[in-house]
DNA sequence: TACCTCATCTTC
DNA sequence: AAGATGAGGTAG
């Protein structure tokens, strides 16, 4: 007698009540199938089949993993329903909070729940799970937090958090600030009330620094970063889930860490591109935490040396008050910053310094710092920026006069014939370029500096150690000793006791990037480096090689990230770019993009830009609405894409909401 | 009439 | 996305 597996298992019977499980299956489904599937819960699984557990189910014939989202009495699909194969483990890994958050993130970014859950919940590691839970550590006592007195609303902010009140904030750290210590004080303050804290930083070096700072004040801190092995990662994540730790420090996936009773979420340096998830649907840590804090009734702290336009918007809309230092505190803390553009560059008289293209002021600043026994940071731009055009005179990025997009020379056939510049966003041809800043009509290609900087500096400063940090080989820390430290942006080592000087070389190249965020990014990179330099009173000097008249350079010289963020935001408001508006990009072959646009039912403020060619016979359309209609935009794009995947149109389109780069 | 290919349909 | 189903065509 032949029997099917189901029958041989002995006539499975459904659980007595709520025998229908709604399951999110973990398979890359086409977008129109992003909804839960119903499965019958067998009686023997009744106890374990709780919402949030992992289950094993048969989906289109194959065994797959899934999350049990909820249990209900009835199903609409009684004729097709199958039994759950088994409950993988009774561990409730998807908490109601994270489920709600993941759903919201999926909706916001036009992605599927399964894709977001894959970012939020690490893969299971059975051995880590079987270990017994540690005891819950007692909350720490409230720390002194003297460091916050330098900021106008600092003490009041700490008080609010310490009294368990919800208090969002956007914090600009003073130059030289020991920001990991300040974040640790904030975390300890919230933890002392018994609530949980999640701190998200851009990379593992920052995780280590903040973890160390937090561990000095708090028992029960855990570091979560992608470089951990699967077993260790799951083990630490479980300690968060089981509520045995109160404070989580980690990189972007930690934004979803299921900390118990969260009171505060922190994102450090929200302008760092490391906070943008590289996997679909590409959520950004800042957005995830804004959403999460809102849903959880917890506070959000957006902190950095510089300030993004997005953070400025949080301030402007009243979502978060700002925490900045009074002017006299800034004067006491800031290094002396000088900008030298090409027109006023006086190269050092020293022969070797001349070879290294070092201006006299930079050479002197470095020499003084070395003499004082301190390391000198030399920031050089990374290779491989998108080729773009800038004004030949003042190096300001060449803008399209219609949409302010970046101008570039059309690539492709190299027949030598000079061709006019084109806008990379709207495709408009520019034959009569005129610089928006200085009025010059000449254009030049933006190129990046050479890798020889390190050798050349070695020759300019004989007898001093030259260290490099960047690309594959990132240095975490340098000692408090004279040395030249050549680093690419984002790879600057932490200097014990601070740098004596920072030389920000080829600053104009960073400014000239063909990017909506070029100026914001330039200031962020400069301030991150300059923020590691000792105060002017201790001889701290910063030299940036860029035109001193440019607003971004001014913002660095005056150390005024708030002014710059306001400028940046009003610029984007004027042009109609994020974060002033909500925007979606739709990529694909021309027919596919056209079909989606055709299907698109936009809300009232909706507007379509392009499509513009994207290379490889692909096109990109930009779609925008007011921020208020952001959700409607996401829904409209989702509906249009769903129609397409449902009728199995051959050419796929890729959608991104508010991408970091529009090109 | 058996068998193969390609399009369409379904996924609990 | 990918296996299951079925329409219609083709060889024998």
């Amino acid at each position: 007698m032949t029997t099917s597996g189901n029958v041989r298992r002995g006539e499975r019977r459904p659980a007595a009540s709520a025998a229908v499980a709604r399951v999110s299956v973990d398979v890359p489904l086409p977008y129109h199938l992003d909804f839960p599937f119903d499965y019958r819960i067998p009686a023997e699984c009744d106890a374990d089949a709780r919402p949030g557990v992992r289950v094993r189910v048969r989906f289109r014939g194959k065994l797959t993993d899934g999350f049990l989202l909820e249990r209900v009495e009835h199903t609409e699909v009684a004729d097709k329903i199958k039994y759950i194969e088994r409950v993988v483990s009774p561990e409730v890994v998807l908490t109601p909070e994270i489920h709600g958050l993941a759903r919201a993130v999926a909706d916001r970014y036009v992605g599927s729940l399964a894709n977001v859950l894959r970012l939020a919940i690490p893969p299971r590691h059975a051995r880590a799970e079987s270990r017994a839970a540690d005891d819950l550590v007692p909350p720490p006592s409230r720390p002194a937090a003297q460091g916050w007195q330098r900021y106008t609303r600092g003490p009041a902010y700490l008080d609010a958090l310490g009294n368990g009140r919800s208090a969002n904030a956007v914090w600009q750290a003073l130059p030289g600030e020991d920001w990991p210590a300040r974040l640790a004080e904030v975390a300890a303050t919230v933890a002392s009330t018994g609530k949980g804290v999640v701190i998200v930083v851009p990379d593992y070096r920052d995780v280590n620094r903040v973890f160390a700072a937090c561990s000095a004040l708090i028992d029960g801190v855990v570091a979560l970063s992608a470089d951990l092995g699967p077993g260790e990662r799951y083990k630490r994540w479980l300690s968060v889930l089981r509520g045995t730790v109160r404070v989580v420090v980690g990189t972007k996936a930690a934004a979803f860490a299921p900390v118990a009773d969260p009171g505060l979420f922190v994102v450090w340096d929200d302008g760092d591109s490391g906070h943008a998830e590289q996997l679909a649907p590409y959520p950004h840590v800042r957005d995830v935490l804004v959403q999460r804090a809102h849903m959880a009734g917890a506070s959000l702290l957006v902190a950095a040396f510089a300030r993004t336009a997005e953070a400025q918007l949080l301030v402007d809309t009243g979502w978060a008050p700002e925490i900045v230092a009074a002017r006299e505190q800034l004067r006491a803390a800031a290094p002396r910053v000088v900008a030298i553009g090409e027109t006023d560059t006086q190269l050092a008289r020293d022969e070797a310094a001349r070879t290294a293209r070092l201006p006299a002021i930079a050479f002197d600043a470095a020499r003084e710092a070395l003499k004082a026994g301190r390391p000198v940071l030399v920031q050089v731009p990374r290779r491989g920026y998108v080729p773009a055009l800038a004004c030949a005179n003042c190096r300001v990025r060449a803008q399209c006069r219609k949409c302010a997009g970046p101008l570039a020379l059309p690539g492709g056939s190299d027949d030598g014939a000079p061709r006019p510049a084109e806008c990379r966003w709207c495709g408009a041809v520019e034959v009569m370029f005129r610089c928006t800043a200085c009025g010059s009509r000449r254009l030049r290609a933006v190129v990046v500096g050479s890798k020889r900087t390190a050798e050349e500096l070695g020759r300019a400063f004989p007898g001093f150690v030259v260290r490099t940090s960047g690309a594959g080989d990132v240095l975490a820390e340098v000692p408090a000793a004279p040395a030249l430290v050549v680093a690419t942006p984002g790879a600057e080592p932490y200097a014990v006791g601070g740098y004596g000087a920072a030389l920000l070389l080829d600053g104009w190249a960073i400014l000239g990037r063909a990017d909506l965020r070029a100026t914001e990014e330039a200031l962020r990179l400069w301030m991150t480096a300059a923020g590691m330099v000792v105060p002017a009173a201790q001889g701290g000097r910063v030299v940036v090689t860029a035109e001193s008249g440019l607003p971004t350079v001014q913002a660095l010289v005056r150390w005024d990230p708030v002014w710059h963020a306001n400028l940046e935001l009003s610029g984007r408001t004027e042009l109609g770019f994020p974060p002033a508006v909500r925007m979606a990009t739709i990529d694909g072959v021309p027919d596919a993009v056209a079909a989606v646009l055709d299907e698109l039912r936009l809300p009232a403020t909706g507007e379509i830009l392009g499509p513009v060619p994207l290379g490889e016979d692909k096109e990109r359309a930009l779609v925008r609405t007011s921020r208020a209609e952001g959700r409607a935009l996401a829904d409209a794009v989702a509906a249009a894409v769903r129609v397409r995947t449902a009728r199995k149109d051959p050419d796929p389109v890729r959608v991104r909401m508010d991408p970091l780069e529009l090109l």
Side-chain angles (χ1 to χ4, degrees):
Chain A
M1 187 168 86
T2 58
T3 51
S4 79
N6 266 356
V7 177
R8 192 170 59 242
R9 268 172 191 257
E11 291 300 323
R12 294 208 272 186
R13 281 201 314 280
S17 69
V20 174
R22 317 215 71 207
V23 174
S24 169
V25 287
D26 186 19
V27 282
L29 284 167
Y31 188 59
H32 69 285
L33 285 180
D34 181 31
F35 52 78
F37 289 85
D38 291 353
Y39 288 86
R40 195 84 69 193
I41 298 168
E44 66 268 25
C45 292
D46 193 23
D48 286 345
R50 296 195 291 150
V53 299
R54 284 180 211 272
V55 290
R56 198 95 172 129
V57 295
R58 208 167 274 283
F59 184 73
R60 52 163 199 239
K62 286 189 165 168
L63 277 176
T64 52
D65 288 315
F67 295 100
L68 197 163
L69 301 180
E70 58 174 332
R71 287 180 64 158
V72 292
E73 288 296 339
H74 301 290
T75 177
E76 306 274 282
V77 289
D79 46 335
K80 304 181 221 171
I81 198 165
K82 291 188 171 79
Y83 273 99
I84 281 176
E85 290 297 317
R86 64 194 175 90
V87 172
V88 174
S89 136
E91 193 86 43
V92 174
V93 289
L94 178 59
T95 63
E97 193 221 350
I98 299 303
H99 177 204
L101 175 64
R103 183 68 262 169
V105 168
D107 291 342
R108 215 231 99 151
Y109 282 95
V110 192
S112 65
L113 179 69
N115 276 353
V116 179
L117 291 180
R118 212 168 300 154
L119 303 172
I121 299 178
R124 177 167 187 257
H125 202 264
R127 275 181 47 189
E129 212 168 70
S130 61
R131 237 164 281 171
D134 304 322
D135 291 332
L136 175 63
V137 295
S141 53
R142 198 166 150 188
Q146 301 295 330
W148 284 93
Q149 290 179 359
R150 293 201 292 166
Y151 300 89
T152 308
R153 320 172 74 137
Y157 175 66
L158 270 282
D159 269 350
L161 292 180
N163 294 328
R165 272 183 284 136
S166 174
N168 300 320
V170 171
W171 171 46
Q172 263 48 69
L174 282 165
E177 179 63 276
D178 184 2
W179 58 269
R182 297 294 87 72
L183 295 186
E185 287 159 4
V186 171
T189 301
V190 174
S192 74
T193 70
K195 287 186 175 271
V197 180
V198 177
I199 303 175
V200 187
V201 297
D203 60 44
Y204 75 95
R205 289 186 310 158
D206 292 333
V207 171
N208 293 338
R209 286 187 63 200
V210 177
F211 176 76
C214 287
S215 298
L217 297 179
I218 311 159
D219 286 329
V221 186
V222 78
L224 295 177
S225 60
D227 57 321
L228 300 168
E232 185 61 23
R233 182 175 177 214
Y234 191 59
K235 187 182 131 198
R236 293 191 192 181
W237 185 86
L238 271 183
S239 71
V240 177
L241 177 74
R242 292 171 175 177
T244 53
V245 297
R246 292 206 149 75
V247 176
V248 180
V249 182
T251 47
K252 51 187 171 297
F256 294 94
V259 68
D261 191 14
L264 176 71
F265 300 101
V266 181
V267 54
W268 169 257
D269 202 13
D270 63 306
D272 192 303
S273 60
H275 286 307
E277 182 56 67
Q278 293 301 294
L279 297 167
Y282 319 105
H284 191 286
V285 167
R286 187 201 319 100
D287 287 355
V288 172
L289 292 185
V290 165
Q291 182 73 44
R292 190 172 175 189
H294 175 72
M295 294 173 82
S299 309
L300 174 71
L301 174 61
V302 178
F305 286 116
R307 185 184 284 184
T308 59
E310 283 82 0
Q312 184 59 46
L313 196 68
L314 293 178
V315 174
D316 286 357
T317 55
W319 208 88
E322 61 184 4
I323 299 177
V324 292
R327 216 58 213 172
E328 65 270 16
Q329 291 291 349
L330 177 60
R331 263 195 298 278
R336 196 157 82 82
V337 183
V338 255
I340 36 175
E342 229 163 73
T343 48
D344 51 23
T345 298
Q346 197 195 346
L347 279 183
R349 229 171 285 147
D350 182 277
E351 187 56 40
R354 201 177 267 278
T355 329
R357 296 163 297 124
L358 266 193
I361 299 172
F363 185 65
D364 293 345
R367 207 175 40 193
E368 290 301 312
L370 292 170
K371 208 158 65 180
R374 292 205 164 91
V376 173
L377 178 62
V378 184
Q379 187 190 61
V380 294
R382 259 191 301 266
R383 295 183 149 274
Y385 290 138
V386 192
L389 294 173
C391 168
N393 183 46
C394 72
R395 302 279 162 83
V396 163
R397 185 171 71 90
Q399 287 188 347
C400 170
R401 65 177 84 186
K402 274 173 70 182
C403 77
L407 294 182
L409 291 174
S413 60
D414 242 323
D415 51 10
R419 270 179 295 177
E422 278 181 16
C423 175
R424 293 173 64 100
W425 289 347
C426 74
V429 174
E430 179 62 87
V431 285
M432 293 287 283
F433 168 75
R434 191 175 190 100
C435 176
T436 49
C438 74
S440 164
R441 294 193 173 281
R442 291 180 308 125
L443 283 166
R444 59 164 286 165
V446 171
V447 291
V448 291
S450 89
K451 265 186 174 173
R452 295 204 306 269
T453 312
E455 305 162 27
E456 291 171 348
L457 281 171
R459 260 177 261 132
F461 297 94
F464 288 102
V465 183
V466 182
R467 298 167 191 278
T468 58
S469 178
D473 196 15
V474 177
L475 218 58
E477 192 177 297
V478 294
L484 289 143
V485 182
V486 182
T488 51
E492 298 90 350
Y494 167 68
V496 180
Y499 287 98
L503 314 181
L504 314 176
L505 299 184
D506 299 332
W508 57 270
I510 298 178
L511 264 179
R513 285 177 41 163
D515 191 321
L516 179 66
R517 293 177 159 77
T519 52
E520 177 178 291
E521 176 71 352
L523 185 61
R524 189 183 73 79
L525 295 174
W526 292 342
M527 285 191 161
T528 303
M532 301 170 117
V533 176
V534 298
Q538 296 172 44
R541 303 274 296 274
V542 174
V543 181
V544 56
T545 59
E547 286 301 328
S548 58
L550 298 173
T552 306
V553 181
Q554 276 298 305
L556 178 69
V557 171
R558 303 204 312 261
W559 202 279
D560 201 343
V562 173
W563 173 73
H564 192 260
N566 272 298
L567 211 61
E568 189 72 30
L569 181 57
S570 55
R572 301 220 204 133
T573 305
E574 214 165 286
L575 298 168
F577 282 116
V581 297
R582 190 55 66 75
M583 197 171 256
T585 62
I586 301 165
D587 298 356
V589 297
D591 283 354
V593 174
V596 172
L597 292 180
D598 197 46
E599 202 67 51
L600 201 56
R601 299 282 301 120
L602 284 176
T605 61
E607 199 181 346
I608 298 170
L609 307 178
V612 294
L614 204 63
E616 290 181 49
D617 48 73
K618 292 266 179 71
E619 280 185 351
R620 165 169 298 177
L622 303 181
V623 186
R624 68 182 170 197
T625 64
S626 69
R627 285 191 64 79
E629 291 185 324
R631 179 58 200 271
L633 170 63
D635 290 348
V637 174
V641 172
R642 218 176 280 127
V643 166
R644 235 188 116 63
T645 62
R647 66 166 182 240
K648 288 204 68 173
D649 282 309
D651 306 304
V653 292
R654 192 170 78 148
V655 171
R656 289 182 82 149
M657 290 298 295
D658 290 337
L660 231 40
E661 294 173 6
L662 294 176
L663 256 176

